[in-house]
């Protein structure tokens, strides 16, 4: 090996330009991290494409990912199930088909990120159906969800139905119960 070069100033060693190879585990972790970051870039680009502001994209992706893990575990899904653009696009497509405008989809997702992790068949379709049973047409459902995205957090077969049933059992009409639900939550 060649002797270290000595800098003419102060007698210190000059910085070495030799590349240091990473040991096996660190190299694998680095490859995984780079692959993961590359996949996340696609998610961020997708979120921006649907109208989520860039400053909110990381937070939206994080909250939606956490909620996906919760929903997936509740359904008994695989612990290594992936959550990315294909899963998000199913929700966005469903909302768009129901009449939510492109601009409103981004705002709705930014205000209630877990919606991206909801299952269309077991969570979103029943929500639209139940609100229809209560007397709202699709346009009214979309208008109310756009105005109050937190309504998406109510499970129609669990807490939403219970709230309406409770209000009706205590003397309110179904219309009053619906108005209360739409204006207070």
């Amino acid at each position: 090996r060649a002797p270290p070069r000595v800098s003419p100033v102060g007698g210190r060693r000059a910085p070495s330009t030799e590349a240091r190879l990473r040991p096996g585990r660190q190299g694998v972790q680095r490859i995984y991290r780079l692959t993961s970051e590359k996949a996340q870039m696609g998610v961020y680009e997708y979120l921006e494409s649907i109208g989520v502001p860039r400053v909110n994209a990381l937070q939206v992706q994080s909250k939606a990912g956490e909620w996906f893990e919760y929903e997936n575990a509740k359904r008994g899904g695989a612990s290594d199930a992936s959550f990315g653009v294909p899963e998000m696009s199913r929700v966005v497509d469903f909302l768009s088909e129901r009449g939510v405008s492109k601009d409103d989809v981004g705002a709705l997702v930014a205000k209630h990120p877990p919606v991206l992790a909801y299952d269309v068949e077991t969570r979103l379709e029943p929500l639209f159906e139940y609100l229809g049973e209560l007397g709202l047409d699709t346009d009214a459902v979309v208008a109310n969800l756009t105005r109050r995205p937190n309504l998406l957090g109510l499970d129609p077969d669990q807490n939403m139905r219970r709230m309406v049933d409770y209000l009706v059992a205590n003397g309110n009409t179904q219309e009053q119960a619906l108005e209360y639900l739409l204006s207070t939550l």
Side-chain angles (χ1 to χ4, degrees):
R1 186 172 166 165
R5 295 184 308 189
V6 177
S7 171
V9 179
R12 286 187 254 147
R13 294 171 125 194
S16 175
T17 56
E18 295 176 23
R20 192 180 109 184
L21 296 177
R22 295 185 177 266
R25 190 180 87 214
Q26 288 178 343
V28 170
Q29 289 173 340
R30 184 168 187 260
I31 290 169
Y32 173 77
R33 192 184 81 235
L34 291 173
T35 305
S36 175
E37 288 172 356
K38 186 176 180 180
Q40 295 305 319
M41 289 308 295
V43 170
Y44 300 136
E45 289 171 359
Y46 178 73
L47 290 172
E48 286 182 34
S49 77
I50 63 170
V52 174
R54 177 176 286 186
V55 296
N56 296 359
L58 177 62
Q59 181 182 21
V60 166
Q61 194 276 334
S62 176
K63 287 184 178 182
E66 288 174 14
W67 197 261
F68 175 80
E69 290 174 8
Y70 169 75
E71 289 285 323
N72 187 48
K74 194 166 80 172
R75 285 191 303 260
S79 61
D80 61 345
S82 66
F83 178 66
V85 173
E87 293 77 18
M88 293 178 185
S89 65
R90 279 188 225 120
V91 171
V92 171
D93 292 345
F94 174 83
L95 294 171
S96 297
E97 289 167 6
R98 293 297 186 267
V100 180
S101 72
K102 184 179 183 221
D103 293 337
D104 288 340
V105 167
L108 191 140
V109 166
K111 291 177 184 171
H112 190 74
V115 70
L116 290 174
Y118 293 162
D119 184 63
V120 171
E121 291 81 23
T122 61
R123 183 74 180 257
L124 295 176
E125 281 181 5
L127 176 69
F128 275 76
E129 289 170 5
Y130 184 62
L131 290 172
E133 289 174 23
L134 294 176
L136 294 179
D137 63 2
T138 303
D139 292 338
V141 172
V142 167
N144 281 290
L145 291 178
T146 302
R147 188 172 50 91
R148 301 183 63 89
N150 58 337
L151 289 170
L152 289 162
L154 297 175
D155 187 327
D157 295 325
Q158 297 295 322
N159 45 14
M160 185 180 284
R161 190 174 302 275
R162 287 182 186 164
M163 285 183 216
V164 172
D165 290 346
Y166 174 80
L167 291 169
V168 170
N170 286 306
N172 292 295
T173 65
Q174 187 169 320
E175 293 77 24
Q176 289 171 324
L178 177 63
E179 183 57 37
Y180 184 77
L181 182 73
L182 297 176
S183 62
T184 60
L185 297 178

